[in-house]
């Protein structure tokens, strides 16, 4: 089936450092979304991307929709302790007409103060 | 905006009982609602897609008679886990979307079957 390969699986960084994570697939997507999930809660939407090449920022977060439409990355600048959590990429393929999303495996981020 | 409420947040019940979980979109009319299941340290697994007034579309391997989904209005969908057993214990999360807008998620329901 269709899969999203998200990497890295986990990161342990020092407060203030920049973070980068990405998702790749063999399928073409028309939408890329990035969510953050805190323990015991549902995912919260961070950034939505709809066009190939699109670069969008949300505060210290920046995400890009890859030109090939098969990948996306998320950068977090100047990390702070509250950035801790699990980050998921999710994509909607061109074949989907139901809004169904395919999720990456998640990147667990830990920030050392 | 885009608030999705899920209730209850935590439920513990005996094996054999049925459990109903509610998902409400509070500030928008959701044309589609989705139900996911998440095991510890894993990603979200889609169980079913639900459109208001029509039968839910279940993913392969998900028993529709076990996980009953009702989407009676544009703001409410329910998931009923029938005759629950310990292996049904999990974190269940709903999401809602309007048209082509992104899915917004509820805070999940932690289900523990004794």
């Amino acid at each position: 089936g269709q899969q999203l390969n998200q990497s890295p699986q986990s990161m342990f960084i020092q407060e203030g450092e920049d973070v980068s994570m990405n998702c790749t697939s063999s399928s073409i997507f028309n939408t890329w979304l990035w969510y953050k999930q805190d323990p015991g809660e549902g995912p919260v939407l961070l950034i939505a991307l709809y066009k190939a090449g699109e670069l969008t920022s949300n505060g210290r977060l920046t995400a890009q929709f890859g030109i090939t439409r098969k990948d996306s990355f998320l950068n977090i600048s100047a990390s702070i302790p509250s950035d801790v959590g699990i980050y998921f990429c999710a994509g909607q393929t061109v074949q989907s007409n139901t809004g169904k999303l395919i999720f990456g495996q998640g990147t667990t981020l830990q920030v050392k103060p | 905006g885009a608030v999705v409420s899920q209730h209850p947040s935590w439920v513990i019940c005996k094996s054999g009982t049925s459990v109903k979980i509610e998902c409400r979109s509070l500030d928008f009319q959701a044309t589609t609602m989705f139900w996911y299941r998440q095991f510890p340290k894993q990603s979200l697994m889609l169980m079913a897609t639900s459109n208001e007034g029509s039968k839910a579309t279940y993913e392969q391997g998900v028993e529709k008679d076990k996980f009953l989904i009702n989407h009676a209005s544009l703001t409410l969908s329910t998931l009923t886990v029938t005759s629950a057993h310990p292996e049904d214990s999990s974190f269940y999360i709903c999401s809602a979307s309007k048209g082509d807008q992104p899915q917004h998620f509820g805070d999940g329901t932690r289900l523990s079957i004794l």
Side-chain angles (χ1 to χ4, degrees):
Chain A
Q2 294 162 326
Q3 288 187 323
L4 282 181
N5 299 310
Q6 184 171 350
S7 65
Q9 184 176 359
S10 63
M11 302 180 74
F12 191 92
I13 62 171
Q14 195 78 30
E15 182 178 2
E17 291 183 351
D18 297 343
V19 172
S20 184
M21 60 193 77
N22 69 82
C23 277
T24 61
S25 176
S26 57
S27 300
I28 294 175
F29 289 81
N30 58 19
T31 301
W32 282 98
L33 306 170
W34 285 92
Y35 290 89
K36 182 193 177 196
Q37 185 178 28
D38 290 328
E41 299 183 10
V44 174
L45 181 66
L46 299 174
I47 292 179
L49 304 161
Y50 300 103
K51 291 172 59 177
E54 180 181 355
L55 183 71
T56 298
S57 294
N58 178 7
R60 294 177 296 106
L61 279 61
T62 302
Q64 185 159 31
F65 194 141
I67 292 176
T68 65
R69 301 172 70 184
K70 296 181 178 181
D71 64 320
S72 177
F73 72 75
L74 174 71
N75 288 342
I76 305 174
S77 62
S79 59
I80 59 178
S82 62
D83 290 334
V84 166
I86 304 176
Y87 292 80
F88 290 101
C89 64
Q92 181 175 337
T93 64
V94 295
Q95 291 89 358
S96 173
N97 59 359
T98 62
K100 176 180 169 179
L101 294 176
I102 299 170
F103 279 82
Q105 302 95 326
T107 295
T108 299
L109 178 64
Q110 294 178 290
V111 180
K112 184 178 180 181
Chain B
V3 179
V4 177
S5 173
Q6 193 171 336
H7 178 80
S9 57
W10 198 0
V11 58
I12 302 174
C13 60
K14 293 182 179 180
S15 183
T17 58
S18 294
V19 178
K20 180 184 283 188
I21 303 170
E22 290 187 352
C23 181
R24 294 180 184 271
S25 56
L26 298 184
D27 56 354
F28 67 102
Q29 292 187 321
T31 49
T32 310
M33 288 187 171
F34 302 84
W35 287 95
Y36 295 83
R37 185 173 180 176
Q38 186 178 34
F39 292 104
K41 299 185 185 299
Q42 293 191 21
S43 188
L44 284 75
M45 182 185 76
L46 180 65
M47 299 174 66
T49 302
S50 171
N51 292 293
E52 184 261 342
S54 60
K55 290 184 179 180
T57 301
Y58 289 81
E59 293 300 300
Q60 191 173 7
V62 178
E63 299 176 59
K64 61 180 181 180
D65 295 329
K66 173 76 171 176
F67 299 99
L68 300 178
I69 292 173
N70 183 276
H71 193 160
S73 75
L74 285 172
T75 59
L76 173 65
S77 176
T78 61
L79 168 68
T80 301
V81 183
T82 61
S83 187
H85 292 284
E87 60 266 27
D88 298 322
S89 298
S90 191
F91 192 53
Y92 292 87
I93 314 174
C94 73
S95 72
S97 67
K98 180 178 181 179
D100 294 335
Q101 297 300 306
Q103 293 180 32
H104 292 274
F105 287 83
D107 274 341
T109 297
R110 175 74 57 195
L111 176 62
S112 296
I113 308 298
L114 304 178

